[in-house]
Amino acid sequence: MTALAEAGTRWSRQADPESTRRQSIAQVWRGFLTATRLGWQTEANWTNPVVYFLYAVCTPVFATLMLVFMIQVISGGNAPPAYRAYVVIGSGLWSFVVAGIAGLAWAVLDDRERYRMLKYLFVSPNDLLVLLLGRGLARMMVGAMGAIVTLGLGVVVLGLPLDLARIDWPVLVAAMVLGLVSIVALGLILASVAMQTRQDSWHYPEAVSGALFLIVGAVFPLNILPTFAQAFGLISPLTWWLEAVRRALFPDIQSGIGGAGSLYASLAGHDAPSGIEALLALLLTTVVVTLAAVATYRWSEHRAKERGLFDVTTGS
Amino acid sequence: MPVSPTPLHSAAALAIDARNVGRVYKAKPNPIVALDGIDLTVRPGELFGLLGPNGAGKTTLIKILTTLLLPSSGTASVFGFDVERQTSQIRRIMNIVSGGEQSGYGLLQVREQLWMFSQFYGLGVREGWRRVDELIDLVGLQEQRVQKVSQLSTGQRQKLNFARGLLNDPWIFFLDEPTLGLDVSAARATRELTLAWQAAVPGRTILLTSHYMAEVDEMCDRLAIVDRGRILAIGTPAELKHRVQSESIFRLELDRLDRGVGALARLPGVISAASVAGNDNGADGERNTILVKLVLVDDGALGPVVSALAGLDAHIVSLQKSEPSLEDVFVELVGRGFEDDLTVHQNGTGLRSAGSRPADEESVAEELAGRSR
């Protein structure tokens, strides 16, 4: 125990209840990166990297191929390439949504129910929100692998008419950034719910992403939906994200939002939004969802602290 | 007023200052009062124990002090920082280890998990690795350094948990039933580590909860006996025991006492004398010594009694002073023991290391008694 005494003497000068702004920022960044690494390890450590890569990309790739083949069958092999592009982009990008929405909520559930570490994370000097965002980012990276491979296969195997010279890069980059922020915000709302609920909430992210899949124009345009469903779609940032990305990648692609008889057309007075218009709508809805997510999370965290939920294992 | 971090802490500030802390859990049909107006102060450098049965409120108080739970009423501070409003300051100077749980990221290696927490505690990368490797050696996990957490035994997990708790070198270390579910040797290692850590640097403070009375008696400078959300008594173990025993009690073994214990009871300074049992240690089973429980007004009355025994033609075979235990204190204060609670709790956790004898009240007492001998 002599070593303990020596170590303790050296260390004791470093525990400090106060920190400078610079130290705080450094700690937040370090905590975020470590949480991301933790998320990646807990996500991918169960097998070797090759198997994990296959696991991560197979689901979105085969889901997309299934949709494309169904369209081919239904259309008698005459589905226009632009519509195939529509479906491939929507389905491929959905990997981000599934991973991002589930990532934060499952981080809460994993750490509370499975690893029993949520309370230790909560009472560490880092903000739990930062750690959850890091965990969520790790899962988003997994989703990104699936999305990139799916889109790549769409171009190479399915012959999507992608012209690099015609891509609107600024809109694409801005749309991706805003879209990912909005996905994380939605994930944060679900994490707030998971913090309050029982272990059954493992299924909530799937249910929510499944419901959103129907109303945001992922694989079919909004104008085939009832008006109230279109209204829900128009207030979702995911709808505008998909639209903006499609517009940036394929300028001539059909709109998933507008079209004859659509709610958008009746409200806006023109047939379909431009790329910039979609981007602005994405910005607006993302800001609203993000603010709502942060407020919801803070409320949930306070309530969990008030009710002592951080170390309660529901085990239902 | 928050304390300055240099030196380790100011003598002017209390490590823990809880005033009228209450905690009520909403439940149906009736709310559960976990804490009912707790007043508690712990000085820097103390190893303070909370002793009480399951459901007494010990863990709830620790949760409040570690900013995991909000109090329903009252105020509490840790080194001058309010547990409701100054949580970030408290979290930088404290750590907590709970016993009887299987926590840990099973897929990570021991070293990875500790390093990860070193980063959450704000240590730099190099400093983090340095402390991780030192602590792995200190707690005796060298052979498990690259083993996955899921493959550790219960005792090894608790060592890992301890190492995590020491990573940020806390000013105050909260130990919530740290030996619960451990086998005897792991429990002993945990106690030794706790005492060594505290002794290493003056001013380090520990709040320990336990329902092993011998453990609290042996380790703690002061303790509070808690039951049903209330503190029943606070003091050093000796003070508390003295509270229930103002008289001196001796266990006297005599070779004979032909005139009966009544002769002893009439001696000056003797409050009572009672024959409690005999020793049947003869080969034929014949009783050949007499045991007497002698209650004196104080230790000073023993001399005249010993002198008088010669006149009674009785010879002393052995003489032992009876000390009250913390259990006696608890029974005196509460009117019941908590053995039943203990048994139920231990059986309920199922956290025992395979092949090892689990630590229990008896084994803890045996071990500590052996150490003191």
Side-chain angles (χ1 to χ4, degrees):
Chain A
M1 294 300 170
T2 306
L4 183 62
E6 290 171 358
T9 308
R10 281 200 306 277
W11 299 351
S12 62
R13 296 187 185 89
Q14 298 185 13
D16 188 347
E18 306 292 351
S19 64
T20 63
R21 175 179 287 271
R22 188 174 173 183
Q23 286 171 328
S24 297
I25 292 171
Q27 178 156 341
V28 166
W29 180 240
R30 188 174 290 129
F32 178 76
L33 291 181
T34 308
T36 305
R37 178 174 166 169
L38 169 65
W40 177 258
Q41 287 183 295
T42 54
E43 179 71 18
N45 226 1
W46 53 270
T47 186
N48 68 60
V50 174
V51 172
Y52 185 72
F53 177 78
L54 291 174
Y55 161 80
V57 302
C58 277
T59 304
V61 164
F62 285 108
T64 302
L65 288 177
M66 186 176 70
L67 284 169
V68 170
F69 288 134
M70 283 171 63
I71 291 165
Q72 289 296 96
V73 170
I74 291 168
S75 65
N78 295 321
Y83 189 59
R84 283 212 304 272
Y86 183 98
V87 171
V88 169
I89 292 171
S91 181
L93 290 180
W94 205 250
S95 298
F96 281 108
V97 178
V98 173
I101 285 184
L104 280 80
W106 285 358
V108 169
L109 295 170
D110 266 340
D111 278 0
R112 189 183 67 199
E113 308 285 343
R114 187 174 168 195
Y115 303 123
R116 319 277 168 95
M117 297 299 279
L118 189 63
K119 70 172 178 180
Y120 293 120
L121 294 179
F122 182 67
V123 298
S124 81
N126 266 286
D127 191 333
L128 182 61
L129 174 59
V130 172
L131 304 185
L132 290 179
L133 291 175
R135 297 283 295 275
L137 176 67
R139 205 174 276 265
M140 292 271 279
M141 287 158 55
V142 178
M145 286 196 307
I148 291 168
V149 171
T150 303
L151 294 176
L153 281 176
V155 173
V156 175
V157 178
L158 301 175
L160 300 188
L162 185 67
D163 183 351
L164 293 177
R166 296 190 67 200
I167 293 176
D168 188 340
W169 290 102
V171 170
L172 178 64
V173 171
M176 286 305 296
V177 170
L178 289 171
L180 296 186
V181 169
S182 69
I183 292 170
V184 170
L186 290 169
L188 192 57
I189 291 172
L190 276 174
S192 308
V193 173
M195 212 175 269
Q196 305 295 322
T197 52
R198 296 168 66 83
Q199 200 176 15
D200 297 330
S201 38
W202 286 107
H203 306 297
Y204 292 179
E206 289 175 3
V208 170
S209 60
L212 287 171
F213 190 73
L214 291 176
I215 62 166
V216 300
V219 292
F220 48 79
L222 287 188
N223 64 356
I224 67 168
L225 294 171
T227 304
F228 77 90
Q230 289 187 55
F232 279 116
L234 290 178
I235 61 173
S236 166
L238 300 182
T239 308
W240 300 101
W241 171 54
L242 293 171
E243 180 75 4
V245 171
R246 284 193 184 108
R247 290 284 163 147
L249 288 175
F250 300 98
D252 302 325
I253 203 167
Q254 78 173 97
S255 170
I257 292 175
S262 67
L263 178 61
Y264 173 83
S266 63
L267 291 173
H270 56 270
D271 195 47
S274 66
I276 294 296
E277 201 178 343
L279 197 60
L280 289 174
L282 172 59
L283 175 64
L284 178 66
T285 51
T286 298
V287 168
V288 171
V289 167
T290 304
L291 291 176
V294 172
T296 306
Y297 175 79
R298 290 299 178 202
W299 168 82
S300 177
E301 189 182 82
H302 182 81
R303 188 172 185 271
K305 194 175 167 186
E306 198 174 59
R307 299 196 168 200
L309 301 178
F310 285 111
D311 63 339
V312 173
T313 304
T314 60
S316 58
Chain B
M1 181 70 181
V3 298
S4 163
T6 307
L8 185 56
H9 43 66
S10 158
L14 289 166
I16 295 171
D17 187 6
R19 294 171 190 265
N20 199 29
V21 173
R23 174 67 209 189
V24 179
Y25 289 103
K26 292 175 183 170
K28 291 178 181 176
N30 297 312
I32 298 168
V33 179
L35 294 178
D36 185 11
I38 293 278
D39 288 306
L40 177 68
T41 56
V42 176
R43 293 184 292 272
E46 272 193 302
L47 201 168
F48 193 94
L50 291 174
L51 178 66
N54 296 322
K58 310 182 298 288
T59 299
T60 299
L61 182 58
I62 278 202
K63 284 183 183 179
I64 289 171
L65 294 171
T66 55
T67 74
L68 197 57
L69 181 70
L70 290 172
S72 304
S73 59
T75 60
S77 63
V78 175
F79 280 101
F81 297 109
D82 186 90
V83 296
E84 291 187 64
R85 292 178 289 105
Q86 294 173 296
T87 54
S88 59
Q89 285 94 333
I90 292 174
R91 289 169 184 176
R92 288 193 191 96
I93 58 168
M94 70 89 190
N95 217 317
I96 177 175
V97 167
S98 300
E101 57 182 31
Q102 294 282 306
S103 59
Y105 294 103
L107 289 166
L108 300 188
Q109 295 175 357
V110 165
R111 202 164 174 261
E112 287 175 334
Q113 172 152 321
L114 287 176
W115 182 81
M116 188 192 71
F117 268 96
S118 76
Q119 301 308 289
F120 292 155
Y121 294 147
L123 306 177
V125 174
R126 288 176 61 188
E127 175 67 9
W129 281 122
R130 188 170 73 87
R131 290 196 190 187
V132 165
D133 288 333
E134 283 186 33
L135 283 168
I136 283 176
D137 291 342
L138 288 170
V139 302
L141 284 175
Q142 297 95 326
E143 291 178 13
Q144 291 77 32
R145 187 181 298 266
V146 293
Q147 199 167 314
K148 286 186 175 174
V149 172
S150 59
Q151 295 167 347
L152 299 180
S153 69
T154 304
Q156 289 166 342
R157 280 200 187 213
Q158 189 64 335
K159 285 181 177 178
L160 172 65
N161 210 3
F162 238 86
R164 179 198 52 71
L166 297 179
L167 268 171
N168 64 331
D169 191 33
W171 294 11
I172 182 166
F173 200 12
F174 294 93
L175 298 174
D176 189 12
E177 307 273 8
T179 58
L180 182 64
L182 299 184
D183 63 45
V184 173
S185 64
R188 183 192 308 125
T190 298
R191 280 192 290 274
E192 287 175 355
L193 186 61
T194 303
L195 293 170
W197 177 82
Q198 198 214 12
V201 176
R204 282 176 171 167
T205 310
I206 293 175
L207 182 67
L208 167 78
T209 76
S210 179
H211 51 224
Y212 296 148
M213 286 178 266
E215 184 172 86
V216 173
D217 193 355
E218 174 74 13
M219 294 178 70
C220 296
D221 302 318
R222 287 198 305 144
L223 68 118
I225 293 181
V226 188
D227 186 49
R228 294 175 184 169
R230 297 171 62 199
I231 290 179
L232 304 179
I234 296 181
T236 65
E239 285 170 351
L240 291 176
K241 285 184 272 191
H242 186 70
R243 280 180 58 155
V244 298
Q245 186 184 337
S246 56
E247 309 92 2
S248 293
I249 302 173
F250 290 89
R251 183 182 171 91
L252 190 62
E253 186 176 6
L254 303 170
D255 62 343
R256 56 189 298 176
L257 191 59
D258 296 340
R259 291 161 64 180
V261 292
L264 288 179
R266 287 189 291 273
L267 292 172
V270 175
I271 296 172
S272 69
S275 178
V276 290
N279 277 356
D280 295 339
N281 51 7
D284 57 357
E286 182 185 349
R287 171 188 287 192
N288 52 17
T289 61
I290 294 171
L291 284 177
V292 178
K293 183 181 180 186
L294 202 58
V295 181
L296 308 179
V297 290
D298 56 32
D299 289 359
L302 185 62
V305 170
V306 171
S307 301
L309 281 171
L312 295 171
D313 199 21
H315 296 99
I316 298 172
V317 176
S318 68
L319 176 64
Q320 188 179 14
K321 184 167 184 180
S322 296
E323 294 287 353
S325 66
L326 286 176
E327 183 171 15
D328 295 327
V329 180
F330 187 84
V331 171
E332 173 84 8
L333 291 167
V334 181
R336 61 178 167 80
F338 55 81
E339 294 289 329
D340 293 343
D341 290 338
L342 184 67
T343 305
V344 169
H345 188 77
Q346 285 185 324
N347 292 341
T349 59
L351 296 172
R352 291 177 176 182
S353 299
S356 300
R357 178 189 174 194
D360 55 18
E361 180 67 33
E362 189 182 352
S363 65
V364 170
E366 278 174 13
E367 182 212 325
L368 293 174
R371 199 167 67 191
S372 64
R373 279 197 294 271

